[in-house]
């Protein structure tokens, strides 16, 4: 096995030095730069509030990579109801928060590699130790993303994702 962590791109045929094992969305799909001027809206690296009515946290959908110890991850946003969001914020810097029950939410990040759409898939956010993003567990359906989370993916699939995201089609 080679120590080369790069990959040869199936789209352009070039060798790229690194094979990313994670991708992340900067904001929920419904966020707009127009909200930046709204005093009831906030976007940080971990939390988002839109117009004081819609609440989101960022977490990781982790997918096992077959035959490897590391995981592939998608940094995604999920919506929470107001009560759960307030509780999550209250517990944000509290040691032992990982003992909290998971929070139900709806996936608010569209991952274009999957069909059907990923937006509005049912999720549970499992809080982890302080400093770690929540683990986002998808409802165990037959959606391809949920299947990948349960069954894992191969390194060939990781390379396919990298090639597709490096060269998106319009």
């Amino acid at each position: 096995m080679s120590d080369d962590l790069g990959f040869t791109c199936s789209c352009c045929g070039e060798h790229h030095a690194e094979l990313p094992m994670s991708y992340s969305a900067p904001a929920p799909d419904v966020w707009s730069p127009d909200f930046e001027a709204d005093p009831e809206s906030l976007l940080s690296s971990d939390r988002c509030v839109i117009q004081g009515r819609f609440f989101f946290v960022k977490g990781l959908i982790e997918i096992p990579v077959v035959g490897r110890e590391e995981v592939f991850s998608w940094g995604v946003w999920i919506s929470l109801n107001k009560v759960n969001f307030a509780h999550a914020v209250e517990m944000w810097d509290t040691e032992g928060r990982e003992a909290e029950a998971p929070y139900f939410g709806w996936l608010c990040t569209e991952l274009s590699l999957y069909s059907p759409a990923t937006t509005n898939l049912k999720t549970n956010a499992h809080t982890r130790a302080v400093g770690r993003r929540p683990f986002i567990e998808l409802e165990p359906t037959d959606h391809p993303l949920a299947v990948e989370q349960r069954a894992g993916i191969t390194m060939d699939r990781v390379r396919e994702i990298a090639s597709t995201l490096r060269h998106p089609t319009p």
Side-chain angles (χ1 to χ4, degrees):
M1 178 174 270
S2 170
D3 288 338
D4 181 11
L5 300 178
F7 71 106
T8 300
C9 183
S10 63
C11 293
C12 68
E14 291 185 31
H15 183 79
H16 300 288
E18 290 186 43
L19 178 60
M21 293 300 288
S22 66
Y23 296 90
S24 188
D29 287 349
V30 293
W31 176 262
S32 165
D34 297 341
F35 295 130
E36 291 173 7
D38 180 1
E40 292 191 76
S41 296
L42 159 82
L43 176 62
S44 75
S45 60
D46 298 303
R47 296 174 277 193
C48 180
V49 177
I50 297 177
Q51 300 175 325
R53 300 181 318 161
F54 306 101
F55 308 92
F56 309 87
V57 294
K58 190 171 191 176
L60 299 174
I61 295 174
E62 294 177 343
I63 301 173
V65 179
V66 177
R68 305 198 51 131
E69 299 217 6
E70 65 186 317
V71 297
F72 178 86
S73 65
W74 293 107
V76 297
W77 293 85
I78 66 164
S79 65
L80 296 180
N81 66 37
K82 186 176 185 174
V83 171
N84 284 344
F85 181 80
H87 188 70
V89 169
E90 178 184 321
M91 299 297 293
W92 204 259
D93 294 316
T94 303
E95 294 296 326
R97 70 183 191 165
E98 60 273 18
E100 293 288 307
Y103 302 106
F104 173 80
W106 298 95
L107 187 57
C108 295
T109 301
E110 182 56 41
L111 301 173
S112 62
L113 278 76
Y114 296 93
S115 181
T118 58
T119 302
N120 291 326
L121 290 177
K122 292 179 182 179
T123 69
N124 279 300
H126 297 265
T127 307
R128 297 196 266 200
V130 172
R132 294 192 64 207
R133 291 194 193 281
F135 169 70
I136 305 302
E137 175 190 21
L138 295 166
E139 177 184 42
T141 64
D142 62 353
H143 188 282
L145 180 58
V147 170
E148 285 185 349
Q149 187 177 46
R150 286 192 312 274
I153 59 176
T154 63
M155 284 303 293
D156 283 343
R157 174 67 173 143
V158 174
R159 287 187 278 278
E160 176 187 329
I161 290 168
S163 294
T164 303
L165 291 178
R166 185 174 283 272
H167 303 285
T169 55

PDB file of all heavy atoms in Angstrom, residues 54-68:
ATOM      1  N   PHE A  54     -35.730  30.707  13.342  1.00  0.00           N
ATOM      2  CA  PHE A  54     -35.212  29.450  12.816  1.00  0.00           C
ATOM      3  C   PHE A  54     -33.830  29.214  13.411  1.00  0.00           C
ATOM      4  O   PHE A  54     -32.987  30.115  13.416  1.00  0.00           O
ATOM      5  CB  PHE A  54     -35.155  29.479  11.284  1.00  0.00           C
ATOM      6  CG  PHE A  54     -36.470  29.838  10.658  1.00  0.00           C
ATOM      7  CD1 PHE A  54     -36.707  31.120  10.198  1.00  0.00           C
ATOM      8  CD2 PHE A  54     -37.486  28.904  10.564  1.00  0.00           C
ATOM      9  CE1 PHE A  54     -37.933  31.467   9.633  1.00  0.00           C
ATOM     10  CE2 PHE A  54     -38.708  29.228  10.011  1.00  0.00           C
ATOM     11  CZ  PHE A  54     -38.938  30.514   9.545  1.00  0.00           C
ATOM     12  N   PHE A  55     -33.593  27.988  13.886  1.00  0.00           N
ATOM     13  CA  PHE A  55     -32.412  27.698  14.688  1.00  0.00           C
ATOM     14  C   PHE A  55     -31.678  26.483  14.126  1.00  0.00           C
ATOM     15  O   PHE A  55     -32.305  25.475  13.804  1.00  0.00           O
ATOM     16  CB  PHE A  55     -32.834  27.436  16.140  1.00  0.00           C
ATOM     17  CG  PHE A  55     -33.690  28.535  16.694  1.00  0.00           C
ATOM     18  CD1 PHE A  55     -35.078  28.465  16.608  1.00  0.00           C
ATOM     19  CD2 PHE A  55     -33.112  29.649  17.280  1.00  0.00           C
ATOM     20  CE1 PHE A  55     -35.877  29.492  17.094  1.00  0.00           C
ATOM     21  CE2 PHE A  55     -33.903  30.676  17.775  1.00  0.00           C
ATOM     22  CZ  PHE A  55     -35.277  30.600  17.693  1.00  0.00           C
ATOM     23  N   PHE A  56     -30.348  26.588  14.071  1.00  0.00           N
ATOM     24  CA  PHE A  56     -29.537  25.550  13.440  1.00  0.00           C
ATOM     25  C   PHE A  56     -28.255  25.318  14.229  1.00  0.00           C
ATOM     26  O   PHE A  56     -27.708  26.246  14.829  1.00  0.00           O
ATOM     27  CB  PHE A  56     -29.136  25.969  12.026  1.00  0.00           C
ATOM     28  CG  PHE A  56     -30.277  26.417  11.176  1.00  0.00           C
ATOM     29  CD1 PHE A  56     -30.696  27.746  11.192  1.00  0.00           C
ATOM     30  CD2 PHE A  56     -30.945  25.526  10.358  1.00  0.00           C
ATOM     31  CE1 PHE A  56     -31.761  28.176  10.404  1.00  0.00           C
ATOM     32  CE2 PHE A  56     -32.010  25.944   9.563  1.00  0.00           C
ATOM     33  CZ  PHE A  56     -32.418  27.269   9.590  1.00  0.00           C
ATOM     34  N   VAL A  57     -27.756  24.100  14.188  1.00  0.00           N
ATOM     35  CA  VAL A  57     -26.421  23.777  14.697  1.00  0.00           C
ATOM     36  C   VAL A  57     -25.687  22.997  13.613  1.00  0.00           C
ATOM     37  O   VAL A  57     -26.303  22.334  12.778  1.00  0.00           O
ATOM     38  CB  VAL A  57     -26.448  22.963  16.012  1.00  0.00           C
ATOM     39  CG1 VAL A  57     -27.028  23.785  17.149  1.00  0.00           C
ATOM     40  CG2 VAL A  57     -27.150  21.641  15.849  1.00  0.00           C
ATOM     41  N   LYS A  58     -24.368  23.110  13.678  1.00  0.00           N
ATOM     42  CA  LYS A  58     -23.538  22.391  12.719  1.00  0.00           C
ATOM     43  C   LYS A  58     -23.024  21.116  13.372  1.00  0.00           C
ATOM     44  O   LYS A  58     -22.649  21.100  14.545  1.00  0.00           O
ATOM     45  CB  LYS A  58     -22.357  23.251  12.275  1.00  0.00           C
ATOM     46  CG  LYS A  58     -21.602  22.667  11.104  1.00  0.00           C
ATOM     47  CD  LYS A  58     -20.603  23.663  10.576  1.00  0.00           C
ATOM     48  CE  LYS A  58     -20.030  23.186   9.249  1.00  0.00           C
ATOM     49  NZ  LYS A  58     -19.139  24.203   8.684  1.00  0.00           N
ATOM     50  N   GLY A  59     -23.013  20.049  12.600  1.00  0.00           N
ATOM     51  CA  GLY A  59     -22.516  18.773  13.088  1.00  0.00           C
ATOM     52  C   GLY A  59     -21.883  17.989  11.958  1.00  0.00           C
ATOM     53  O   GLY A  59     -21.755  18.475  10.838  1.00  0.00           O
ATOM     54  N   LEU A  60     -21.520  16.756  12.269  1.00  0.00           N
ATOM     55  CA  LEU A  60     -20.836  15.904  11.299  1.00  0.00           C
ATOM     56  C   LEU A  60     -21.611  14.628  11.028  1.00  0.00           C
ATOM     57  O   LEU A  60     -21.943  13.889  11.955  1.00  0.00           O
ATOM     58  CB  LEU A  60     -19.452  15.519  11.823  1.00  0.00           C
ATOM     59  CG  LEU A  60     -18.484  16.668  12.082  1.00  0.00           C
ATOM     60  CD1 LEU A  60     -17.216  16.129  12.736  1.00  0.00           C
ATOM     61  CD2 LEU A  60     -18.158  17.404  10.799  1.00  0.00           C
ATOM     62  N   ILE A  61     -21.876  14.396   9.762  1.00  0.00           N
ATOM     63  CA  ILE A  61     -22.343  13.082   9.333  1.00  0.00           C
ATOM     64  C   ILE A  61     -21.065  12.304   9.056  1.00  0.00           C
ATOM     65  O   ILE A  61     -20.314  12.627   8.136  1.00  0.00           O
ATOM     66  CB  ILE A  61     -23.212  13.157   8.060  1.00  0.00           C
ATOM     67  CG1 ILE A  61     -24.492  13.926   8.333  1.00  0.00           C
ATOM     68  CG2 ILE A  61     -23.501  11.754   7.533  1.00  0.00           C
ATOM     69  CD1 ILE A  61     -25.349  14.174   7.091  1.00  0.00           C
ATOM     70  N   GLU A  62     -20.810  11.313   9.881  1.00  0.00           N
ATOM     71  CA  GLU A  62     -19.591  10.522   9.730  1.00  0.00           C
ATOM     72  C   GLU A  62     -19.921   9.194   9.056  1.00  0.00           C
ATOM     73  O   GLU A  62     -20.914   8.544   9.398  1.00  0.00           O
ATOM     74  CB  GLU A  62     -18.940  10.293  11.090  1.00  0.00           C
ATOM     75  CG  GLU A  62     -18.437  11.596  11.685  1.00  0.00           C
ATOM     76  CD  GLU A  62     -17.839  11.450  13.056  1.00  0.00           C
ATOM     77  OE1 GLU A  62     -18.069  10.417  13.715  1.00  0.00           O
ATOM     78  OE2 GLU A  62     -17.135  12.385  13.480  1.00  0.00           O
ATOM     79  N   ILE A  63     -19.089   8.850   8.088  1.00  0.00           N
ATOM     80  CA  ILE A  63     -19.299   7.650   7.296  1.00  0.00           C
ATOM     81  C   ILE A  63     -18.051   6.774   7.415  1.00  0.00           C
ATOM     82  O   ILE A  63     -16.948   7.220   7.084  1.00  0.00           O
ATOM     83  CB  ILE A  63     -19.564   8.013   5.816  1.00  0.00           C
ATOM     84  CG1 ILE A  63     -20.801   8.906   5.721  1.00  0.00           C
ATOM     85  CG2 ILE A  63     -19.700   6.758   4.973  1.00  0.00           C
ATOM     86  CD1 ILE A  63     -21.065   9.475   4.345  1.00  0.00           C
ATOM     87  N   PRO A  64     -18.216   5.552   7.896  1.00  0.00           N
ATOM     88  CA  PRO A  64     -17.046   4.670   7.991  1.00  0.00           C
ATOM     89  C   PRO A  64     -16.449   4.402   6.610  1.00  0.00           C
ATOM     90  O   PRO A  64     -17.177   4.328   5.614  1.00  0.00           O
ATOM     91  CB  PRO A  64     -17.612   3.372   8.572  1.00  0.00           C
ATOM     92  CG  PRO A  64     -19.001   3.650   8.981  1.00  0.00           C
ATOM     93  CD  PRO A  64     -19.447   4.905   8.301  1.00  0.00           C
ATOM     94  N   VAL A  65     -15.126   4.291   6.561  1.00  0.00           N
ATOM     95  CA  VAL A  65     -14.442   3.934   5.321  1.00  0.00           C
ATOM     96  C   VAL A  65     -14.001   2.478   5.475  1.00  0.00           C
ATOM     97  O   VAL A  65     -13.251   2.144   6.388  1.00  0.00           O
ATOM     98  CB  VAL A  65     -13.242   4.853   5.040  1.00  0.00           C
ATOM     99  CG1 VAL A  65     -12.530   4.434   3.758  1.00  0.00           C
ATOM    100  CG2 VAL A  65     -13.708   6.316   4.946  1.00  0.00           C
ATOM    101  N   VAL A  66     -14.514   1.645   4.601  1.00  0.00           N
ATOM    102  CA  VAL A  66     -14.267   0.208   4.670  1.00  0.00           C
ATOM    103  C   VAL A  66     -12.768  -0.085   4.662  1.00  0.00           C
ATOM    104  O   VAL A  66     -12.028   0.424   3.815  1.00  0.00           O
ATOM    105  CB  VAL A  66     -14.969  -0.519   3.489  1.00  0.00           C
ATOM    106  CG1 VAL A  66     -14.655  -2.000   3.498  1.00  0.00           C
ATOM    107  CG2 VAL A  66     -16.464  -0.268   3.519  1.00  0.00           C
ATOM    108  N   GLY A  67     -12.339  -0.862   5.654  1.00  0.00           N
ATOM    109  CA  GLY A  67     -10.950  -1.269   5.739  1.00  0.00           C
ATOM    110  C   GLY A  67     -10.013  -0.224   6.330  1.00  0.00           C
ATOM    111  O   GLY A  67      -8.798  -0.406   6.313  1.00  0.00           O
ATOM    112  N   ARG A  68     -10.556   0.875   6.848  1.00  0.00           N
ATOM    113  CA  ARG A  68      -9.715   1.937   7.409  1.00  0.00           C
ATOM    114  C   ARG A  68     -10.258   2.346   8.765  1.00  0.00           C
ATOM    115  O   ARG A  68     -11.431   2.148   9.055  1.00  0.00           O
ATOM    116  CB  ARG A  68      -9.710   3.139   6.474  1.00  0.00           C
ATOM    117  CG  ARG A  68      -9.262   2.691   5.084  1.00  0.00           C
ATOM    118  CD  ARG A  68      -8.811   3.724   4.204  1.00  0.00           C
ATOM    119  NE  ARG A  68      -7.824   4.640   4.667  1.00  0.00           N
ATOM    120  CZ  ARG A  68      -6.758   4.941   3.983  1.00  0.00           C
ATOM    121  NH1 ARG A  68      -6.508   4.303   2.862  1.00  0.00           N
ATOM    122  NH2 ARG A  68      -5.931   5.869   4.387  1.00  0.00           N
TER     123      ARG A  68
END
